[in-house]
Amino acid sequence: MSDSHFDTVAIVGIGLIGSSLARAVARGKLAGRIVIADSDVVALAEAERLGLGQAYESDVADAARDADLVVLCVPVGAMETVGKAMAPVLKPGAIVSDVGSVKASVLKALSATLPAHAHIIPGHPVAGTEKSGPGAGFASLFDGRWCILTPPEGADAAAVAKLKGFWAAIGAEVEMMDAAHHDLVLAITSHVPHLIAYNIVGTASDLETVTDSEVIKYSAGGFRDFTRIAASDPTMWRDVFLNNKEAVLEMLGRFTEDLTALQRAIRWGDGDALFELFSRTREIRRRIIDAGQDSAAPDFGRPHEE
């Protein structure tokens, strides 16, 4: 049996990420048994119809009872509730992780609710699409993508190594990071861009001088991509902003300062400043492509990362 294999893996929450994880675990034969848990009976029934696991539970405690690894694929605002529900049944040595894009609040919530004999190792696979539900998942979602693990100080080294091996076997590139630093990094690379997308689409819908039909009919590439990002799950993103507000507000402050400078350059006709900014940001895009994090091909509705 490989170091990346678990006898029983419980996946709590069977949306896009949870269903993709179930498929990836099955593809790599990384668990003897996969238990799926979801309080949504419709989603649970669909997961069973798709054959995503060997057992299906509506109660998180029933799913976590015999699990060696529990992965929480629920909104970050639900971590404390889920943690309390499964705390009494976790067996000694069980690893509890998650897939949320905020880590400090998750670590705090789980540390306050789970027993000392469980190993809490928060995680964040940086992958996703704007689609949701058990049917939206696919096994290759994490292939070649980063998975960031944020173990707390003093975490069990063997448990961390096992979870790292698990994600590597799934196909992800694994990085270790402090939880607070993770939240700052993701605030600028993911959270603020999503907030801007939600806001600009909302602004367009509120314009009195441009009709909704015109917004839809004449959507050029930039606005089309904003609408794609803004189609992401509203519950998940509400919880992200409420649970990472300090880092998001810090990055929004920096963004606002830079936006003011850009307004000034446009107002005063400072073409050199505009050209310098556009050249610098174009270079960032080239480096993202060179790093294998995206394609240079035209984007005609390609699923985005979260």
Side-chain angles (χ1 to χ4, degrees):
M1 185 179 297
S2 72
D3 289 341
S4 57
H5 185 279
F6 290 88
D7 288 339
T8 300
V9 172
I11 299 174
V12 181
I14 197 63
L16 167 72
I17 300 297
S19 64
S20 294
L21 181 59
R23 290 175 169 93
V25 170
R27 179 187 67 176
K29 298 180 173 60
L30 299 176
R33 183 168 176 260
I34 299 173
V35 182
I36 306 295
D38 203 300
S39 59
D40 184 335
V41 294
V42 174
L44 197 63
E46 184 179 357
E48 185 168 8
R49 180 181 62 79
L50 293 169
L52 298 181
Q54 283 72 51
Y56 304 86
E57 304 287 352
S58 59
D59 188 321
V60 63
D62 291 336
R65 193 178 307 278
D66 298 315
D68 304 287
L69 170 64
V70 180
V71 185
L72 305 180
C73 305
V74 300
V76 292
M79 293 295 173
E80 183 175 358
T81 299
V82 173
K84 287 179 179 178
M86 67 181 182
V89 302
L90 285 175
K91 67 182 187 181
I95 297 174
V96 178
S97 190
D98 76 306
V99 298
S101 70
V102 179
K103 297 273 67 79
S105 67
V106 169
L107 183 57
K108 181 180 179 181
L110 295 182
S111 297
T113 57
L114 299 186
H117 63 245
H119 302 304
I120 303 168
I121 309 172
H124 176 206
V126 188
T129 76
E130 70 274 17
K131 298 178 181 177
S132 60
F138 49 99
S140 61
L141 178 65
F142 311 108
D143 290 355
R145 300 302 180 188
W146 288 103
C147 179
I148 303 171
L149 300 182
T150 61
E153 186 176 350
D156 183 82
V160 173
K162 189 170 180 65
L163 186 61
K164 181 178 180 180
F166 172 80
W167 276 107
I170 281 174
E173 300 285 343
V174 185
E175 183 90 356
M176 312 300 287
M177 198 176 290
D178 173 75
H181 185 67
H182 165 279
D183 291 353
L184 195 63
V185 171
L186 268 293
I188 193 59
T189 61
S190 176
H191 303 166
V192 169
H194 274 81
L195 195 64
I196 293 168
Y198 281 119
N199 193 62
I200 198 168
V201 173
T203 298
S205 70
D206 289 340
L207 286 175
E208 296 180 356
T209 55
V210 179
T211 66
D212 286 347
S213 62
E214 287 174 320
V215 169
I216 294 169
K217 183 176 180 180
Y218 300 116
S219 290
F223 186 77
R224 183 188 63 224
D225 284 350
F226 274 128
T227 62
R228 177 167 52 82
I229 296 172
S232 301
D233 181 73
T235 300
M236 180 185 76
W237 283 101
R238 175 202 64 193
D239 284 4
V240 164
F241 293 120
L242 292 178
N243 286 275
N244 197 28
K245 59 183 178 182
E246 288 83 6
V248 167
L249 289 173
E250 180 178 342
M251 291 300 105
L252 275 176
R254 289 287 303 273
F255 175 79
T256 301
E257 292 173 4
D258 292 341
L259 186 59
T260 298
L262 186 57
Q263 287 176 302
R264 188 179 300 113
I266 294 171
R267 179 177 293 112
W268 293 104
D270 190 346
D272 290 343
L274 294 174
F275 185 83
E276 189 277 332
L277 173 64
F278 300 158
S279 298
R280 181 157 48 91
T281 55
R282 185 180 186 184
E283 174 63 14
I284 293 293
R285 173 63 182 169
R286 185 192 65 77
R287 289 168 60 188
I288 289 173
I289 294 170
D290 290 347
Q293 293 301 301
D294 205 350
S295 166
D299 182 344
F300 298 109
R302 182 177 67 249
H304 79 290
E305 291 184 17
E306 293 176 352

